[in-house]
Amino acid sequence: MAAPPRGDARKCPPFPVAKMAAAAAPAARAGAGVGVGAGVGVGAVAAMAARGAEAEALFEAHTTAELRAAERRLRAGIEQKREELRQMVGERYRDLIEAADTIAEMRRSAERLLGAVRGLQRGGTARPGPASTARPPAHQSFYGAAAQLKLLLEVPEQLWGAVEGGRYLPAARLHLLGAHLRRQLQLDTPRARSSPILARFPILLRQVAAASHLRSTILQESKALLRCPTGSDQAVAEALCAIMLLEDSSPRQALADFLLARKLAIQQLLNQPHHGAGIKAQVCSLMELLTTTLYQAHAVFYTVPEGMAPDPALPCGLLFSTLESTTGQNPAGRGGVLEEDLKLSSWFKYLPESVVEFQPTLRTLAHPISQEYLRETLQQWITMCSDDIRTGVRTLLVYVKSMKGLAGIRDAVWELLSSESGSHNWEAVCRRLLDRPVSFWEELLQQLFLDRLQTLTKEGFDSISSSSKQLLALALQELEVKAGSCALSKQIQLEHNVALFLWSESPGDLPGDAAWVSVGQRGPFARSGLAMKAQALTPCVQSFCSTLDSKLKARLEDVLSYLPTDDSVPKEPAVPPRSAFDRFADAGTVQGLLRDHCVACVQHLLGCVREQLQSAQSQLGSPGDARLNAVLFMARLCQALPELCPHLQRCVLGQAGGAELAPKEPRSAKKLGKGKAQEVSPELAKWQGVKAELLQQSLLAYQLWSSAVTKGLVQGFTHTLLLDTAGSVLATATNWDEIEIQEETESGSSVTSKIRLPVQPSWHVQCLLFSLCQEVNRVGGHTLPKVTLQELLRSCLAEVLAAYEKLVEQKQEKRPDSFPLTQSRALQLLYDLRYLSIILTAKSEDTKPSRIKQDSGIEKVIDFLEGHIDPFDLDVFTPHLNGNLNRLVQRTSVLFGLLTGTENQYTSRGSTLSSQELHNILPLASSQIRFGLLPLSMSSSRKSKSTARSTERVQGQAAAPVLPREDEAARPGSLFRQLLTEDEDTVAPSLFKLGWLSGMTK
């Protein structure tokens, strides 16, 4: 290998290539005739010339800076390769030195072995036969002492080998043999330092000093083995025997040492660092340590009572059998303590008999442990360890953040304890040791897992509650912005006016598979945009409910991972035959926790809604107040939560099926007839209570809205009504109708006369009703609860009546500056009041129109107004006034359809719903509707039933003060009434045929 260039050579500038080529040319010519060796020189010169040409080309193609950069790169590469070469040579050199040392050592060992063999050969030739002459006693004692000294020097090495190999009982026996040798040689006496043996062999001083260290090492390693749960029963028994021999203790003390070591092992296991999945391993290791401790306690310490045959499948009494074989009086052979390689030594035959046949002994007899003492000791140990285990496992479970993690740990413990190795004769062992069955899961871990599960459930639902409260506050803050602001988003605008949301088209109104998938085939959670609009569920409500439902779904799925699934619980045996414990014994408790915390979450949300409503109640103003939007949002939210949050129902009912529907609620006792009411489960009763509270809060919010709307609208109506000027009377007046009547004179002849009667209500009356309809329509009037709409009409009528009573009080005072109440104005006021009473009278489900009685306050006002009309004129006007009133109600039944409340407005639509075909996509509202429903194709049996019901309806309406029969066909809305009754033989013929109409819908 060429030597690297020196520093001086590296600093020299590069030799010009042209000069190198010129210098190489004469050399080539000079060496041309040198013979065979000259060919090599010629080739080298040619190669140098070629490289010179390449260098010339580089100089021509690149600049000086580029060439210098290339030179630096080339030199850096050279240095890197040189360093790699040095490292490679150094590593190989070390290997080479080690190999050479090994070879030299092998050579020396071989030479020593050959020398020893030659010495044996020479000794054999010198002594051809056995020695027949006996040595003198002095020589015999000398050789015996020398052999004992040799053995004393060999014992430490043998002892350390046994300790390193995990054979602690042989190590203890060797240690006791060393102590016996020191006593034999009198090295342990106080005057041992003046002994001639120590004077000749000073190395023995170190052996004596190291004896105590060897004893402590054996004890330490033996107790370390007791703390290891993977040690075999025989190894544990030998380690205990070693401790008993070294400490001269009893079996009861050995039991205490064993249990103390296992307690320390439990504490060490609990104090290990925990990271994620390591918690499962720690808990499983803890359970394995507990079960192994009982198994080994039975195998090592338990003895079969007298008169009872031992069970081969349950070994026991290993401690006493090991002690017997170690300290027995009849050992199997001589030198049981010494190793076999020592017996082959030449000096072994000089050892005295007391050393060769040495056996360790105990000062006290090793009596077997009684069953009562063993039972009490183990029970105390379990009780003592239980507190540490509960505290440690509780600390570990804090780092488990999901119920899925808890279920994984529980299942791992179940698999460990139910395995063949973990459950082998477990009941028999527990019965022998503790006289009772033992389940560490139920006694130690189950309650800890339940406590952690409760904490996780509470934290999860508290998080849902706080986030829902923040989301509600944010939504209300956005909704309280005035409608005229330009910064309103599209969703907030739809929330301010639900009618815009109902009558606007969006891409999600119909699902993509609406053409070929019917409603009955859709999933329970599949809802189209039209379904949301039919129920007036605005985007803000949908977004809130969707967010809440997603969080409830995540929480429910986490809890369900801890509960049994349908395929994990067998039907015939409740618990598998080889199951250590029932994993799902606490399923009912877990479902109860889920239910209680979910209900508490809903209660917290309702509390937030209640606080918002109370704060808004004192600040509500006119119907245009922005706070009303927040109140309506909370009303719709409480109304929609049970339907748009299906996982809320599953959390309360504890439903385990993923896609299954919740059980249907039973019908009330009223619908079931006179029989006993159907029993309701506690879960379903809890869910019904939650729905009732949500509905009640929704009704309270709607009540605030209705009272604010009524107060704002009627206030303007009252102001206009009480204006007592001629201009105000003319401003609110409408056109009257002129009617010709035939009157009979005293002579019997008929006279034709004309009378004028009001046919329209006053302008302020029409404005009041129209504004009221606008407000109801703005909030989605067809979805308003019946109670809310009836309360709205009732309160509005009460406010209107109060305004008329104020008017009566003003007219009764008869102030001189007041405008007189003329007969014409009295007629108009009477007409307005009667019209308002008809429109605003709320009719319940069970109330027939013929049974509706006027309020006494209305009758008093009517009597007052009729007192300002001539009695004769009143008798003439009354029939015509009633006719005008009936026709007005019919004409405005569509305009004020949200308020009129006809006899069909509040009838149940259950039968109509059941008659519709499955391809309908809009759920029909069960409350107030504006128009009659358009029926689709129906069966003949349905038509006959419907015809019978329509006949009964016509008979029941005969006594009602409605239009005459001949005016029925001209009544507004008769087309829809004909379609609804489905009677083709009525007086007014149907304008459509049902077959043609159903064909349009297909």
Side-chain angles (χ1 to χ4, degrees), residues 339-357:
E339 299 291 337
E340 293 296 332
D341 55 348
L342 292 177
K343 296 179 182 180
L344 299 177
S345 302
S346 59
W347 48 265
F348 178 76
K349 57 185 176 181
Y350 299 110
L351 291 175
E353 192 71 20
S354 60
V355 176
V356 175
E357 297 181 358

Side-chain angles (χ1 to χ4, degrees), residues 90 126 288-289 404 548 584 657 684 687 739 790 862 942 944:
E288 184 180 6
L289 180 60
K404 187 176 182 181
L548 178 60
F584 309 114
L684 190 56
W687 170 242
I739 302 174
Q790 292 174 2
I862 289 177
R942 172 65 187 154
S944 61

Side-chain angles (χ1 to χ4, degrees), residues 298-340:
H298 175 270
V300 175
F301 297 100
Y302 182 80
T303 56
V304 180
E306 296 181 0
M308 182 181 295
D311 188 0
L314 291 174
C316 58
L318 287 179
L319 176 65
F320 305 102
S321 61
T322 305
L323 278 175
E324 183 179 356
S325 62
T326 302
T327 63
Q329 300 298 326
N330 298 318
R334 294 182 61 192
V337 176
L338 298 176
E339 299 291 337
E340 293 296 332

Side-chain angles (χ1 to χ4, degrees), residues 504-512 529 533:
S504 62
E505 295 184 1
S506 60
D509 285 345
L510 289 178
K533 291 181 179 179

Side-chain angles (χ1 to χ4, degrees), residues 744-749:
E744 187 176 354
T745 61
E746 297 179 355
S747 60
S749 59

